[in-house]
Amino acid sequence: MDACIKTGLDVVKICLVKETPLCEKQKICTAQDAITAISHELSLLDREIFCVLNLKTNGDLINFNIVSMGTLNISLVSSREVFKSSILSNANSIIAFHNHPSGNHEPSECDIAVTKKLYEAGQLLDIHLLDHIIVAGLTGNFYSFKDHDMLNFNHSIPYIT
């Protein structure tokens, strides 16, 4: 009896599904521009979420993707999931966001480790991590890794490349 069973190879199609726009498309040149684009949405949430803004080479917004929705104080972040929408969108760069519903805008050791991991993954994919911004609940405060010179793992990348 033949131990090898012949089966057909499935063909799959992967596509991006567009939803209702979050904000007007605009150019992102600074952390404040990025905050203006989505901070209101993040500040209202009662649990942590991790999301990305995908950008074109000239800094124009392509889209926004919620990568992970977590609990009160933690959200699971996988590089594969973070860059999935970026690859499908033909993004040149991303800005990562997550919120701290507690109102504390300081990064944890875990936040720093995740940022370094995403920076390195982006280098392999040729998709630049321009910033990782923490939005502190309803306080209006935020923490930009770029503004605090926390993205110098190898070299600095300007917002518009």
Side-chain angles (χ1 to χ4, degrees), residues 94-111:
I94 66 167
I95 299 174
F97 279 89
H98 82 277
N99 64 322
H100 284 174
S102 68
N104 177 8
H105 67 283
E106 292 296 321
S108 67
E109 289 299 317
C110 185
D111 293 338

Side-chain angles (χ1 to χ4, degrees), residues 20-128:
T20 306
L22 182 63
C23 63
E24 293 295 319
K25 288 192 176 180
Q26 59 196 51
K27 188 177 292 289
I28 304 292
C29 298
T30 66
Q32 189 58 54
D33 293 343
I35 287 291
T36 300
I38 69 162
S39 67
H40 178 71
E41 299 297 323
L42 292 180
S43 69
L44 301 175
L45 300 169
D46 65 349
R47 66 198 74 189
E48 276 200 22
I49 68 159
F50 195 94
C51 53
V52 294
L53 288 176
N54 292 304
L55 294 99
K56 296 179 182 179
T57 304
N58 65 0
D60 286 347
L61 282 175
I62 299 171
N63 56 37
F64 165 79
N65 180 47
I66 295 176
V67 175
S68 172
M69 184 173 289
T71 64
L72 180 63
N73 60 355
I74 194 165
S75 183
L76 181 62
V77 181
S78 161
S79 299
R80 176 182 58 226
E81 298 304 316
V82 168
F83 287 100
K84 188 181 291 183
S85 69
S86 308
I87 292 167
L88 292 173
S89 301
N90 258 350
N92 175 70
S93 56
I94 66 167
I95 299 174
F97 279 89
H98 82 277
N99 64 322
H100 284 174
S102 68
N104 177 8
H105 67 283
E106 292 296 321
S108 67
E109 289 299 317
C110 185
D111 293 338
I112 294 167
V114 163
T115 304
K116 183 174 186 200
K117 182 178 173 184
L118 293 177
Y119 178 89
E120 291 168 351
Q123 293 296 302
L124 290 172
L125 294 169
D126 288 329
I127 300 173
H128 307 292

